[in-house]
Short mmCIF file of all heavy atoms in Angstrom, two decimals:
data_model
loop_
_atom_site.label_atom_id
_atom_site.label_comp_id
_atom_site.label_asym_id
_atom_site.label_seq_id
_atom_site.Cartn_x
_atom_site.Cartn_y
_atom_site.Cartn_z
N ASN A 1047 -27.37 2.72 22.86
CA ASN A 1047 -27.67 3.23 21.52
C ASN A 1047 -28.19 2.14 20.60
O ASN A 1047 -28.33 2.34 19.40
CB ASN A 1047 -26.42 3.88 20.91
CG ASN A 1047 -26.15 5.25 21.47
OD1 ASN A 1047 -26.76 6.23 21.06
ND2 ASN A 1047 -25.26 5.33 22.44
N GLY A 1048 -28.42 0.93 21.15
CA GLY A 1048 -28.94 -0.19 20.37
C GLY A 1048 -27.89 -0.82 19.47
O GLY A 1048 -28.21 -1.46 18.49
N LEU A 1049 -26.61 -0.63 19.83
CA LEU A 1049 -25.51 -1.12 19.00
C LEU A 1049 -24.67 -2.13 19.78
O LEU A 1049 -24.68 -2.16 21.00
CB LEU A 1049 -24.63 0.05 18.56
CG LEU A 1049 -25.35 1.11 17.73
CD1 LEU A 1049 -24.49 2.36 17.63
CD2 LEU A 1049 -25.69 0.58 16.36
N VAL A 1050 -23.92 -2.93 19.02
CA VAL A 1050 -23.00 -3.92 19.57
C VAL A 1050 -21.66 -3.72 18.88
O VAL A 1050 -21.61 -3.62 17.65
CB VAL A 1050 -23.52 -5.36 19.33
CG1 VAL A 1050 -22.56 -6.39 19.87
CG2 VAL A 1050 -24.90 -5.54 19.94
N HIS A 1051 -20.57 -3.65 19.65
CA HIS A 1051 -19.24 -3.42 19.08
C HIS A 1051 -18.83 -4.56 18.15
O HIS A 1051 -18.43 -4.34 17.02
CB HIS A 1051 -18.21 -3.25 20.20
CG HIS A 1051 -16.83 -2.94 19.70
ND1 HIS A 1051 -15.97 -3.93 19.26
CD2 HIS A 1051 -16.16 -1.77 19.57
CE1 HIS A 1051 -14.82 -3.37 18.88
NE2 HIS A 1051 -14.92 -2.05 19.06
N GLY A 1052 -18.90 -5.77 18.62
CA GLY A 1052 -18.66 -6.94 17.78
C GLY A 1052 -17.22 -7.42 17.67
O GLY A 1052 -16.96 -8.43 17.03
N ASP A 1053 -16.25 -6.71 18.28
CA ASP A 1053 -14.86 -7.15 18.15
C ASP A 1053 -14.02 -6.65 19.33
O ASP A 1053 -12.98 -6.02 19.16
CB ASP A 1053 -14.27 -6.66 16.83
CG ASP A 1053 -12.92 -7.30 16.51
OD1 ASP A 1053 -12.59 -8.36 17.09
OD2 ASP A 1053 -12.18 -6.73 15.68
N ILE A 1054 -14.48 -6.94 20.54
CA ILE A 1054 -13.72 -6.53 21.73
C ILE A 1054 -12.53 -7.47 21.89
O ILE A 1054 -12.70 -8.68 22.01
CB ILE A 1054 -14.58 -6.59 23.01
CG1 ILE A 1054 -15.82 -5.73 22.88
CG2 ILE A 1054 -13.75 -6.21 24.23
CD1 ILE A 1054 -15.59 -4.26 22.84
N ASN A 1055 -11.34 -6.93 21.83
CA ASN A 1055 -10.12 -7.69 22.06
C ASN A 1055 -9.02 -6.71 22.46
O ASN A 1055 -9.18 -5.50 22.27
CB ASN A 1055 -9.74 -8.52 20.82
CG ASN A 1055 -9.28 -7.67 19.66
OD1 ASN A 1055 -8.20 -7.10 19.70
ND2 ASN A 1055 -10.10 -7.58 18.61
N PRO A 1056 -7.91 -7.18 23.03
CA PRO A 1056 -6.87 -6.28 23.53
C PRO A 1056 -6.34 -5.27 22.50
O PRO A 1056 -6.00 -4.15 22.86
CB PRO A 1056 -5.76 -7.22 24.00
CG PRO A 1056 -6.48 -8.47 24.35
CD PRO A 1056 -7.60 -8.58 23.35
N ARG A 1057 -6.29 -5.63 21.23
CA ARG A 1057 -5.77 -4.71 20.20
C ARG A 1057 -6.73 -3.55 19.93
O ARG A 1057 -6.33 -2.55 19.37
CB ARG A 1057 -5.50 -5.47 18.90
CG ARG A 1057 -4.60 -6.68 19.03
CD ARG A 1057 -3.16 -6.46 18.91
NE ARG A 1057 -2.82 -5.63 17.79
CZ ARG A 1057 -1.65 -5.05 17.66
NH1 ARG A 1057 -0.73 -5.23 18.57
NH2 ARG A 1057 -1.37 -4.30 16.63
N ASN A 1058 -8.00 -3.70 20.32
CA ASN A 1058 -8.98 -2.64 20.11
C ASN A 1058 -9.26 -1.82 21.36
O ASN A 1058 -10.17 -1.01 21.38
CB ASN A 1058 -10.30 -3.25 19.60
CG ASN A 1058 -10.15 -3.77 18.18
OD1 ASN A 1058 -9.26 -3.36 17.46
ND2 ASN A 1058 -11.01 -4.69 17.80
#
Side-chain angles (χ1 to χ4, degrees):
N1047 282 279
L1049 300 167
V1050 179
H1051 183 278
D1053 191 18
I1054 303 291
N1055 70 71
R1057 306 271 314 164
N1058 290 338

